[in-house]
Amino acid sequence: MPSTPSLLLTAALLSLAAAGPLAAQERLNCASASGTIDAASRSRLATFIASRLEDVGSTNVPARVDEARAALLEPLNCPDVSESFRRAFAELAESRLASLAAADDVHQAVAALMVAGACGVPQSAEVVMRPALDEQRPPAIRFAAAQAYQRMIAQLATDPVPERRQDAAVAAERAIGPALTTEQHPLVASALLDALLEGEREFDLVYPRTLVLVAGGIETIRQRGVPRRASEDDAAEWARTLTRAIARLQQPMLNPQMASEIDRDQSVLIAGAAADGLAFVRDRLKSLPLDDAEHDALRTLVEVAEPTLGLAHRALTNDPPAGDRPLLAAFDEAIEDGGGGPFQTKLSLDWTRGVLTRPPFDFPVDRFD
């Protein structure tokens, strides 16, 4: 597996809006992207795409690839880019983007995935982006594919046609749900969760389905034994990934209008996800002592997961959580004592072997072991 720094370097590459000078004869401006597509403009677009994708695929020099990628993204990044332009672009580029996304060269594959995501066309996503999530592909490419799905959903967030928004969310869910069950790299898992949660902007449309997938992803991460196998660096990154995901699940529970839309089953899922986060902490405390980065990441995870669990409990029972002191205090005690016993005991008595095994939660007794 490539090191975390190498993946972070690729992540930084993904954030670039442009790289290097753009050849004047190879540019499409925003005026071209905002209008309708007639035969003449489609022909010019086809020539532009073919030329620039040829540049992407004909060199292994990163700067050259980045220059061509920036030129391809320029019209797609225009604030008034039209839906007809994006669809024409995707249709004309799809076949070549798919072959480049499957390339062994990381820069070529990342460039193709960024362009596919910017097109915002779910049909192309299925052809170009979904295969790049395969667990056999390098982590940097899987990361780029996850970010491409997030870009696609964001691109369509303000689309006036609900069916197109829904198509984007469903395409992302269909690809990302299975990918989360096998993903081994914390930064890729984080990007996958971010892509799913991008759809939360359309709360009433996609949130229930998204919630199931996010909660399932959190459960899978813990049940695969990640806490026991991870290095210190990866464990800290996994903890940060879980924290961000659980925090996003908590957000609608803090909003009275959104909270009223959360039903019993969804509250149970949120409780399970928060408890999985706390079980992750419990398992990592068996590896004491912790370095500073992992300690801080785990403590923050407790700070987010414990109140999330309490909110779900209150939503279902109208009662405050049981227990005489917060789990955070037990975490600090475990660190001070040099053993995970205080945290494990309190988590078990208050939650995983107590409240959560009884109605209205009814989790199996061994669910969080």
Side-chain angles (χ1 to χ4, degrees):
M1 176 183 296
S3 65
T4 295
S6 70
L7 189 57
L8 286 171
L9 183 62
T10 301
L13 179 150
L14 292 177
S15 69
L16 294 174
L22 301 180
Q25 71 274 21
E26 300 268 5
R27 295 182 64 170
L28 283 183
N29 58 28
C30 288
S32 302
S34 61
T36 57
I37 300 295
D38 57 21
S41 58
R42 184 180 178 90
S43 177
R44 287 194 300 273
L45 180 59
T47 300
F48 167 77
I49 290 171
S51 173
R52 278 313 198 172
L53 288 180
E54 178 63 25
D55 290 342
V56 171
S58 64
T59 179
N60 59 3
V61 179
R64 290 279 306 280
V65 174
D66 292 346
E67 180 184 351
R69 168 183 55 82
L72 287 161
L73 286 172
E74 185 177 20
L76 293 169
N77 287 336
C78 292
D80 296 324
V81 59
S82 68
E83 192 262 340
S84 62
F85 180 89
R86 287 190 295 101
R87 288 188 171 274
F89 197 114
E91 180 183 338
L92 292 166
E94 182 179 289
S95 177
R96 184 62 175 138
L97 286 176
S99 64
L100 288 169
D104 292 331
D105 185 282
V106 170
H107 275 82
Q108 292 177 359
V110 167
L113 291 164
M114 291 179 71
V115 173
C119 287
V121 177
Q123 293 83 350
S124 289
E126 193 75 9
V127 176
V128 180
M129 290 146 57
R130 188 173 184 180
L133 291 175
D134 186 276
E135 61 183 311
Q136 300 303 316
R137 300 289 278 154
I141 291 176
R142 301 198 304 271
F143 181 89
Q147 287 217 323
Y149 272 105
Q150 185 176 6
R151 172 69 190 271
M152 177 185 71
I153 295 173
Q155 184 87 317
L156 297 177
T158 57
D159 194 300
V161 181
E163 290 77 14
R164 289 202 288 261
R165 297 199 304 270
Q166 186 169 21
D167 285 348
V170 170
E173 291 163 4
R174 188 185 298 120
I176 292 172
L180 266 175
T181 65
T182 60
E183 184 51 58
Q184 299 291 323
H185 199 292
L187 290 178
V188 179
S190 182
L192 290 168
L193 288 166
D194 282 345
L196 283 176
L197 290 165
E198 187 69 36
E200 190 180 322
R201 297 171 186 271
E202 298 297 323
F203 176 82
D204 59 335
L205 176 64
V206 302
Y207 183 78
R209 296 195 308 272
T210 302
L211 172 59
V212 171
L213 291 171
V214 172
I218 293 171
E219 177 183 355
T220 300
I221 288 168
R222 188 189 62 79
Q223 290 190 340
R224 281 204 317 266
V226 166
R228 292 183 291 277
R229 296 196 314 270
S231 66
E232 289 180 344
D233 287 345
D234 277 357
E237 202 61 61
W238 278 114
R240 286 188 280 268
T241 292
L242 294 175
T243 298
R244 291 171 59 234
I246 294 169
R248 291 290 295 273
L249 295 180
Q250 182 195 92
Q251 284 178 2
M253 305 191 78
L254 298 172
N255 182 311
Q257 182 176 358
M258 287 185 173
S260 67
E261 300 291 332
I262 301 174
D263 64 22
R264 176 193 177 281
D265 290 343
Q266 293 163 19
S267 294
V268 170
L269 281 172
I270 292 172
D276 276 317
L278 294 168
F280 181 98
V281 175
R282 175 202 64 204
D283 292 346
R284 286 304 300 173
L285 287 176
K286 297 174 184 177
S287 302
L288 289 172
L290 308 175
D291 66 16
D292 289 345
E294 184 176 359
H295 168 273
D296 293 348
L298 292 176
R299 196 175 193 279
T300 302
L301 177 52
V302 176
E303 288 177 324
V304 171
E306 183 177 16
T308 302
L309 187 50
L311 285 167
H313 180 271
R314 184 181 290 275
L316 289 167
T317 66
N318 291 320
D319 295 325
D324 57 348
R325 64 189 178 126
L327 275 168
L328 192 60
F331 175 88
D332 291 338
E333 182 182 340
I335 296 297
E336 185 175 341
D337 290 352
F343 186 87
Q344 179 174 346
T345 299
K346 181 155 182 65
L347 177 63
S348 177
L349 290 176
D350 286 0
W351 292 110
T352 58
R353 293 279 179 158
V355 170
L356 294 179
T357 64
R358 301 192 293 268
F361 298 99
D362 292 320
F363 286 109
V365 173
D366 61 352
R367 164 68 168 77
F368 303 100
D369 289 351

